[in-house]
Amino acid sequence: MPPGARCWVALNAPWLLGYRLEKTAEFDSEPIRQGDEATVETESKPPFMSLVPPDKQGRLLLLKSELHYLQVVTDQGSSLILYNLGDAIDQLPQTSGITVHRSYWVALDAIEKLEKRGRQGEISLRNGQFVPVSRNRMAEVSRRLAELSAGSNPEPADQNQRAEGGVE
């Protein structure tokens, strides 16, 4: 196969496999009036969630980086969108989850248990999925889960930890 054809197939593989980016309807730009509490949204969604199909939007459980794409797993299903993992994490509250591996972010309330396997670990989620925990992040994940189970309100840790470097 010629190199040009290989590049075309590589760039269009998600489209060929059936993944589609859908543009959702924009929100009305109507201002919210004081005292009109019916229009105030109780939980704001991060901007990248607008790229997830409406039938797959729900409570965020997991973000997984797949090359230039982001797999968004919610309690309503999974969707692959064209988005950067680091940018998505920056849009989330620091106390809502933790980066457990350079390719994974997990919501703290989705974690069922952490199993240690040597220096590395694995998290089992409430939806039955398993997520690897890198050895570099094992101590931080253990600490955050211990604080969560103790019921304390910990100081938000730097969930991105991208500046640490190191291979995982």
Side-chain angles (χ1 to χ4, degrees), residues 16-111:
L16 293 171
L17 294 172
Y19 293 107
R20 301 288 187 268
L21 294 176
E22 296 179 17
K23 185 166 178 130
T24 58
E26 297 293 325
F27 292 105
D28 293 336
S29 60
E30 195 174 299
I32 298 175
R33 294 179 297 266
Q34 290 287 346
D36 190 6
E37 296 180 15
T39 61
V40 177
E41 198 172 311
T42 58
E43 184 180 322
S44 64
K45 292 185 179 179
F48 71 87
M49 287 298 286
S50 66
L51 299 173
V52 176
D55 63 323
K56 303 284 187 191
Q57 291 184 10
R59 189 171 54 94
L60 186 61
L61 304 176
L62 166 71
L63 297 175
K64 179 184 177 188
S65 174
E66 295 184 9
L67 294 177
H68 297 291
Y69 294 88
L70 181 67
Q71 182 180 11
V72 180
V73 180
T74 66
D75 57 355
Q76 301 296 314
S78 177
S79 179
L80 192 68
I81 62 173
L82 182 60
Y83 216 81
N84 181 298
L85 176 64
D87 293 341
I89 291 172
D90 289 342
Q91 296 173 4
L92 296 168
Q94 286 187 343
T95 56
S96 66
I98 187 168
T99 302
V100 296
H101 189 279
R102 68 179 172 191
S103 300
Y104 291 90
W105 176 93
V106 178
L108 289 173
D109 61 353
I111 298 173

Side-chain angles (χ1 to χ4, degrees), residues 6-19:
R6 287 183 193 174
C7 288
W8 184 88
V9 169
L11 291 172
N12 291 295
W15 183 81
L16 293 171
L17 294 172
Y19 293 107

